[in-house]
């Protein structure tokens, strides 16, 4: 692979990294310490199966992949066709036959080693993630930490998987076996590319499955690093494969007869299609879809924390987070103080080069996404919303960032529940703030949505906090915080935000199946 980076004098350096050395995951990562925004070019193949990177069969239908901070082309993504998908799935199946026969503790050792390697290279992986995704380096490092913690967590569970023994009359008995499903497909999103690949692969591998992962066509660069790390850690060749592509490649994966399960993260419309396609082969499905989550702030809250919570609920990853609390309901009495403080803090968010430590908001994923988000802001104005700050294209002073997809984070006031910006998922740095009077009223309004991914409440009243949490129709409710995602707790949706869970012990049930074995110790009693 040729990975371009500029040295300190600004001279372009190109390092040839073919053929791939044994420590493949080191290849492009080795150039990361010296890399800066606007200097990296990725020319390595981005598919991975059979224990190595695989060049596309045909270099057609290539889609450019952009660096969001500059608008520059980072690499070309070549989608996998039917033959390549078939090859990857067969490679995964071969690995599954070996891996599923290993003891949980043996699998755990490989996974712990993978977690260790990720931890060791966290800054380098984070840097590559930023270059492909546009989020700030501060956030990306946290994402990579959550990724290795997830793998470490499921390594810990791998050795605990067990069944039950049930005594039956006359000395007969039964037992259950928790068995893997086979080859699982993971379909990732562009907002957390490396983390989602880890969240899906860790429980799958802990249970004895293999996985074929398809990243978003907009962020194809880091999933293959994870594949290399699993191999380096001692996983059998093919255990975690990566196929690149868009909707057509996804369709091939969902329809393939050797696939046992599909886990998808993305939009509701695409989720419905994944479910429909997977149903043709009666495959198990986990769907982690969109959200329009409510954040309820009562007048007895600790206001400083509520303001911080609202910022965390809206502006992480430039607002491109499915569980964001974008409908902020503030009790009328404290609305003026809340707005004043939240606007002051929002205006102070440093937007710019995502690789600089001081940056707190990077670039949106693409030009169309930026235009879509700005469109939501102008629509809100037409519908009577008032922009208190931001909501405009932002051009950083650094000339190399002139073509980047930046916007100023936005707070909207004067919003109503029937406005487009309050009903639809914007997926950008736009917070809609609305007043409320009573608990009963705000719960009714909060639940009046087809989504149900997350929710939040800020109050010092312990009874109210738990009462509101009970009554909100969402897979997660944060009390006096927002958008923290420890790997030990389950994450997933209610209603049209999907079903199935990621993280936590319960996810083992979504990547395994139960076999009942009945043992007769005496003679058969027959009716015939």
């Amino acid at each position: 692979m040729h990975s371009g980076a500029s040295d300190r004098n600004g001279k372009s350096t190109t390092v040839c990294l073919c053929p791939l050395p044994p420590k493949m995951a080191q290849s492009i990562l080795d150039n990361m310490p010296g890399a800066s925004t606007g200097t990296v070019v990725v020319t390595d193949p981005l598919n991975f199966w059979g224990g190595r990177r695989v060049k596309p069969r045909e270099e057609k239908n290539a889609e450019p992949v952009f660096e969001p901070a500059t608008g520059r082309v980072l690499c070309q993504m070549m989608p996998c066709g039917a033959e390549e998908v078939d090859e990857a799935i067969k490679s995964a199946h071969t690995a599954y036959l070996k891996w599923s026969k290993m003891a949980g503790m043996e699998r755990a050792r490989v996974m712990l080693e993978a977690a260790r390697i990720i931890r060791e290279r966290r800054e380098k992986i984070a840097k590559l993630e930023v270059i492909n995704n546009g989020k700030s380096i501060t956030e990306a490092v946290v994402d990579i930490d959550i990724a290795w913690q997830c793998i470490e967590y499921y390594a810990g569970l791998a050795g605990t998987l067990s069944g039950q023994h049930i005594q039956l009359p006359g000395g007969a008995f039964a037992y259950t076996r928790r068995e893997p499903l086979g080859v699982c497909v993971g379909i990732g999103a562009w907002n957390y590319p490396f983390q989602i690949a880890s969240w899906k692969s860790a429980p799958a591998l802990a249970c004895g499955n293999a996985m074929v992962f398809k990243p978003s066509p907009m962020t194809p660069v880091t999933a293959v690093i994870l594949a290399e790390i699993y191999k380096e850690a001692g996983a059998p060749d093919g255990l975690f494969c990566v196929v690149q592509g868009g909707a057509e490649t996804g369709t091939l994966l969902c329809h393939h007869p050797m696939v046992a399960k599909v886990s998808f993260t993305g939009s509701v419309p695409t989720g419905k299609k994944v479910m429909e396609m997977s149903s043709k082969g009666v495959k198990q499905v986990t769907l982690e879809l969109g959200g329009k989550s409510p954040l309820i702030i009562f007048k007895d809250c600790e206001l400083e924390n509520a303001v911080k919570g609202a910022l965390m609920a809206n502006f992480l990853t430039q607002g491109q987070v499915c569980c964001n609390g974008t409908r902020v309901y503030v009790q009328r009495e404290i609305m003026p103080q809340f707005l004043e403080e939240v606007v002051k803090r929002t205006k102070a968010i440093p937007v710019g080069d995502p690789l600089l430590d001081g940056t707190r908001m990077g670039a949106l994923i693409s030009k169309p996404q930026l235009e879509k988000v700005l469109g939501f802001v102008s629509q809100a104005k037409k519908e009577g919303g008032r922009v208190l700050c931001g909501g405009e294209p932002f051009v950083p002073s650094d000339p190399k960032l002139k073509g980047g997809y930046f916007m100023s984070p936005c707070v909207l006031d004067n919003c109503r529940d029937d406005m487009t910006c309050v009903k639809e998922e914007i997926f950008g740095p736009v917070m809609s703030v609305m007043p409320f009077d009573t608990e009963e009223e705000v719960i009714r309004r909060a639940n009046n949505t087809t989504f149900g991914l997350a929710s939040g409440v800020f109050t010092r009243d312990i009874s109210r906090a738990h009462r509101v949490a009970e009554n909100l129709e969402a897979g997660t409710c944060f009390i006096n915080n927002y958008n923290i995602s420890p790997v030990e707790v389950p994450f997933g949706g209610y209603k049209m935000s999907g079903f199935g869970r990621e993280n936590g012990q319960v996810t083992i049930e979504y990547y395994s199946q139960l076999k009942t074995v009945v043992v007769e110790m005496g003679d058969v009693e027959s009716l015939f």
Side-chain angles (χ1 to χ4, degrees):
M1 156 192 166
H2 287 82
S3 169
S6 296
D7 63 19
R8 296 235 166 128
N9 307 317
K11 291 177 190 150
S12 182
T13 56
T14 304
V15 188
C16 182
L17 298 164
C18 326
L20 295 171
K23 282 203 167 180
M24 297 165 299
Q26 290 286 51
S27 54
I28 188 169
L29 295 187
D30 279 343
N31 298 306
M32 281 299 113
S36 60
T37 299
T39 64
V40 175
V41 181
V42 176
T43 56
D44 234 5
L46 297 171
N47 299 313
F48 194 97
W49 59 80
R52 60 189 178 85
R53 291 198 185 223
V54 182
K55 279 191 171 145
R57 285 245 163 88
E58 297 173 0
E59 305 211 346
K60 63 174 192 184
N61 304 326
E63 289 177 27
V65 176
F66 299 96
E67 178 180 30
T70 61
R72 195 181 56 96
V73 175
L74 177 64
C75 62
Q76 297 292 328
M77 188 282 298
M78 322 274 184
C80 286
E83 284 178 28
E84 290 156 303
V85 165
D86 190 55
E87 215 171 277
I89 290 170
K90 283 179 175 158
S91 165
H93 190 260
T94 303
Y96 157 71
L97 295 176
K98 281 187 205 157
W99 184 249
S100 59
K101 294 289 178 260
M102 287 163 67
M105 288 294 281
E106 293 174 301
R107 296 199 290 262
R109 276 194 287 275
V110 172
M111 292 175 70
L112 286 171
E113 177 60 9
R116 185 197 65 76
I117 296 169
I118 295 168
R119 193 161 61 240
E120 200 176 79
R121 299 178 196 161
R122 64 198 273 271
E123 279 89 3
K124 294 175 181 177
I125 299 168
K127 212 165 178 184
L128 188 58
E129 187 89 312
V130 168
I131 289 165
N132 193 184
N133 160 281
K135 69 171 72 188
S136 76
I137 186 69
T138 313
E139 272 193 60
V141 170
V142 174
D143 294 353
I144 306 308
D145 283 344
I146 291 172
W148 67 252
Q149 286 163 16
C150 181
I151 295 168
E152 192 173 79
Y153 175 76
Y154 283 107
L157 288 182
T160 70
L161 304 184
S162 57
Q164 266 183 317
H165 176 278
I166 300 112
Q167 193 63 47
L168 299 172
F173 64 93
Y175 62 92
T176 58
R177 292 170 49 92
R178 189 159 288 286
E179 299 185 346
L181 300 170
V183 175
C184 299
V185 160
I187 300 177
W190 45 257
N191 53 352
Y192 289 87
F194 191 88
Q195 185 179 298
I196 290 173
S198 306
W199 277 22
K200 292 192 188 302
S201 60
L205 268 49
C207 291
N209 304 288
M211 177 163 271
V212 177
F213 186 79
K214 187 193 82 64
S216 159
M218 287 195 270
T219 52
V221 176
T222 52
V224 67
I225 301 286
L226 180 62
E228 290 177 327
I229 287 172
Y230 277 132
K231 177 183 166 67
E232 194 181 324
D237 287 354
L239 189 68
F240 180 78
C241 301
V242 177
V243 296
Q244 301 292 346
E248 283 179 34
T249 308
T251 301
L252 292 166
L253 289 165
C254 291
H255 283 311
H256 199 286
M258 284 170 83
V259 168
K261 178 199 168 96
V262 180
S263 175
F264 169 80
T265 299
S267 70
V268 175
T270 311
K272 288 178 179 175
K273 286 180 193 152
V274 165
M275 196 174 168
E276 191 183 336
M277 292 186 292
S278 304
S279 74
K280 303 280 192 288
V282 198
K283 301 183 198 311
Q284 294 194 27
V285 177
T286 290
L287 299 177
E288 201 276 275
L289 309 177
K292 190 73 189 177
S293 300
L295 173 57
I296 303 170
I297 298 170
F298 286 94
K299 63 184 176 189
D300 69 347
C301 70
E302 171 62 62
L303 192 65
E304 165 79 0
N305 280 333
V307 168
K308 287 198 268 191
L311 296 170
M312 288 296 282
N314 281 272
F315 298 139
L316 287 177
T317 308
Q318 300 74 250
Q320 302 166 133
V321 182
C322 49
C323 51
N324 270 359
T326 50
R327 292 185 292 143
V328 180
Y329 293 98
V330 181
Q331 206 154 16
R332 205 175 295 274
E333 292 88 332
I334 58 163
M335 187 79 156
Q337 304 96 289
F338 174 83
L339 284 174
E340 185 187 348
E341 197 54 36
V342 95
V343 167
K344 189 172 85 184
R345 302 244 186 144
T346 302
K347 284 178 174 170
I349 294 171
V351 182
D353 187 339
L355 282 179
L356 298 179
D357 288 336
T359 299
R360 284 296 171 271
M361 187 174 286
L364 277 76
I365 189 69
S366 67
K367 199 169 172 54
Q369 182 66 15
L370 173 62
E371 285 164 358
K372 186 177 151 196
V373 175
L374 293 169
F376 271 109
V377 176
S378 54
Q379 177 70 16
K381 286 187 204 165
K382 281 182 201 148
E383 293 179 20
R386 188 165 60 233
V387 176
L388 298 184
C389 66
E392 293 172 339
F394 179 81
V395 183
S397 52
D398 184 340
K400 73 180 175 197
L401 306 176
K402 289 280 184 278
Y405 316 130
F406 297 93
M407 73 174 277
S408 47
C410 176
V411 178
L412 293 172
D413 180 25
N414 214 33
C415 298
R416 300 178 317 277
D417 290 349
D418 61 353
M419 285 166 64
T420 311
C421 65
V422 179
K423 289 195 299 191
E424 292 182 25
E425 185 173 36
I426 295 175
F427 231 60
V430 180
M431 180 194 303
S432 302
V433 188
M434 290 152 293
F436 75 92
D437 294 300
T438 70
E439 180 184 323
E440 190 185 13
E441 164 220 342
V442 79
I443 287 171
R444 189 184 70 248
R445 291 168 66 192
N447 287 335
N448 185 21
T449 171
T450 56
F451 294 113
L453 192 53
S455 57
V457 55
F458 276 82
T459 177
R460 282 187 247 198
D461 180 336
I462 189 166
S463 304
R464 172 186 281 147
H466 292 291
R467 192 167 59 234
V468 170
E470 181 188 344
N471 286 301
L472 288 169
E473 296 163 1
T476 297
C477 182
F478 298 100
I479 295 176
N480 294 333
N481 207 336
Y482 205 95
N483 265 348
I484 54 165
S485 48
V487 297
E488 304 93 321
V489 300
F491 175 79
Y494 277 21
K495 301 196 277 193
M496 284 176 85
S497 289
F499 51 79
R501 290 293 176 266
E502 298 194 302
N503 293 342
Q505 286 185 24
V506 71
T507 300
I508 293 298
E509 294 177 24
Y510 294 99
Y511 281 100
S512 59
Q513 53 195 349
L514 218 50
K515 176 180 283 174
T516 301
V517 181
V518 182
V519 183
E520 180 55 69
M521 300 297 279
D523 295 329
V524 174
E525 281 184 30
S526 174
L527 290 175
F528 308 103

